Structures are given as C-alpha cells and as structure tokens.
C-alpha cells in the first residue's frame, strides 16, 4: 500500500486530520493517532485506523469544556483555559498504565500568546479515545517544561521528557506508578544544547532520542542520541536526515511489526508545520528509519512510502 511520505489525510467526514505534534500508538489491534487540534474549543483529537492510511475521527478527547478534578498527588493549576486569556496545548501524548488500567495524557501548557508559562499538564481517562478528565498544569519539580514526549519501558516504568531551562536542557523525569505525577528527575541531557521536539524509542535494548533544534515553526537539522540505560550516559548527538529534516520536526517514532523480517520496523513521524497563520495547513511526514548495527540511525528521503 503506497502513499506519499508527506501527507494530510482526511477523516471519514472529509475533514483534515488535526493531530499535530502527536503520536501514533497501537492499541487492541488498531492504530490510534492522538495530537493537537486547535479548531474552536478543541485541544486534543484522537483518530483510529486499521492500516495507517484511512483515519476515522474518534473524539475530541480534550476540549476547553473537559471536566476537571484536582490531581491526586500534586498541586496543579486546574484551569485548562484562563478566563479572558485562553490556553495553548501542544505535543499531547498518552500512556496506558497497566497498574491503574487508565490512560494518562501528558502535554505542554501555555497561555496563547507566548511560551513563558512553560508548564506540563496531565489528563486521565478509562479509554484511549474517551473524554479525558483534566488534572491541571504545573512545572515539574519547579522546572520550566516546553516541548515534551513520553516513553514507556518494557518493565512498566514510564517517563516524561521535556525541554527545560528555556529549552537549553532536556530533562528525563520518571513518572509515578499511576503515570499521573512526576516521581523524580532522572537525567539532564545535553545541557546548553537547546533541543526541542524530543521523541524516544527503544530497539534491541538501545534507547534512542530524536530531537530538533529550536527555530520556532521553521524546520532545522534534527539529531539523535542513544543510550543503553535511559537514566545513564547518553551518546553525543549525531545528525539525522538533511539540514531541515526534510522540512519536518520530529514528533514520534512508531514501531510496526514486519512479519516478513520477523522484527519491528521503526517509522519516523514528523510535523511539516504550516507555521504562524498557516497552522491548519500543517502536514505530516512519515519515513522509515534505517539502522546500521545497534546504535547507528539514518533517515533518507523517499517521495513515496510503502505501508
Ligand atoms: C517548536 C515546537 O516544537 C512546536 O511544538 C511549537 O512550540 C513551535 N516551536 C512554536 O514556535
């Protein structure tokens, strides 16, 4: 099944799929695409697909009108939107917590006109595509927190990763057993190197982190680092893709089982941002990641991909 590597799919109603800065995860035999939807009072949308090509709109899982309740473990600001000001939610990602049986939604929270609040926010739901309950926003252990992602390890431990200290550093936080709170700061990565758009995956026991530079909505050279222990030493960064990462910014890496090869393929999902004033024209870039040995990664340009 071939398709263009740069695309903006339409859902079953003919509407563009708005799931920017998002993730595609597999759950109960289906793929779910969760990401930013800034239309109207919506903030986070969820779509579903059996084949990664045809996407069915499921729900606006977080809206300005979502119910809110206090966070069970930490003081948070419960206002999703501040009256008269609004709110901006970016890079939402969910994790399924086996211990609680619930989905935790982590995201970046800001007032609409700037990025000064630098907070993360959390919501929770019993189903992946249901109506999430907002648990509030906060700065993890007091640190600034902007672009973010999540990672779940095979042993059930889960992590929130975000750009800290005005984007100068990248923080890896370990989450509490219910995935709804920050437990501790595990690692400060690449201090002073100004990275954004982190996404983490694991292959053959090696952790990889993709990040971009910080140039707003304009694409730049992405890079990757690797580690054998998430909380331990990480490699220096190496370039990934071309100088604009094929005009995209990383948002997620999706493992897809390749039955013929008997192992997983890993697909790079990036945002080709429409930019300020053209946000809703933003497209997606999907390209296969290639590996040389266990720790070398490359991303090459393809006009068409075969799903
Ligand atoms: C780059 C970030 O990765 C995006 O999520 C968004 O915050 C833009 N910057 C805004 O300029």
């Amino acid at each position: 099944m071939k398709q263009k590597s740069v695309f903006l799919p339409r859902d079953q109603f003919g509407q563009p799929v708005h799931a920017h800065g998002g993730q595609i995860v597999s759950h109960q035999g289906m793929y779910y695409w969760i990401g930013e939807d800034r239309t109207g009072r919506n903030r986070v949308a969820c779509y579903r697909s059996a084949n990664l090509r045809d996407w069915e709109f499921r729900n606006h899982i977080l809206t300005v009108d979502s119910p809110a309740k206090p966070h069970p473990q930490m003081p948070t600001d419960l206002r999703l939107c501040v009256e008269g000001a609004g709110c901006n939610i970016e890079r939402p990602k969910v994790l399924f917590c086996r211990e609680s049986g619930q989905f935790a939604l982590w995201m970046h929270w800001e007032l609409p006109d700037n990025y000064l609040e630098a907070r993360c926010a959390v919501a929770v739901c019993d189903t992946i595509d249901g109506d999430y309950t907002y648990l509030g926003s906060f700065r993890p252990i007091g640190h600034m927190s902007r672009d973010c992602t999540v990672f779940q390890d095979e042993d059930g431990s889960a992590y929130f990763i975000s750009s800290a200290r005005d984007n100068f550093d990248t923080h890896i936080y370990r989450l509490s057993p219910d995935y709804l709170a920050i437990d501790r700061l595990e690692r400060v990565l690449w201090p002073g190197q100004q990275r954004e758009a982190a996404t983490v995956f694991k292959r053959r026991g090696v952790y990889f982190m993709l990040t971009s530079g910080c140039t707003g909505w304009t694409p730049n050279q992405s890079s990757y680092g690797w580690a054998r222990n998430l909380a331990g030493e990480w490699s220096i960064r190496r370039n990934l893709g071309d100088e604009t990462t094929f005009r995209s910014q990383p948002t997620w890496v999706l493992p897809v089982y390749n039955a013929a090869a008997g192992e997983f393929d890993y697909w790079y999902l990036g945002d080709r941002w429409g930019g300020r004033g053209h946000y809703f024209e933003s497209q997606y870039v999907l390209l296969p990641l290639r590996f040389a040995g266990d720790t070398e990664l490359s991303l090459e340009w393809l006009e068409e991909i075969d799903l």
Side-chain angles (χ1 to χ4, degrees), residues 36 38 90-91 108 115 147 196-197 212 215-217 249 273:
E36 296 167 20
R38 301 184 184 205
E90 293 190 351
R91 297 187 173 268
H108 173 196
Y115 286 87
D147 273 13
E196 275 190 335
S212 75
T215 51
W217 298 111
Q249 194 180 22
W273 297 113

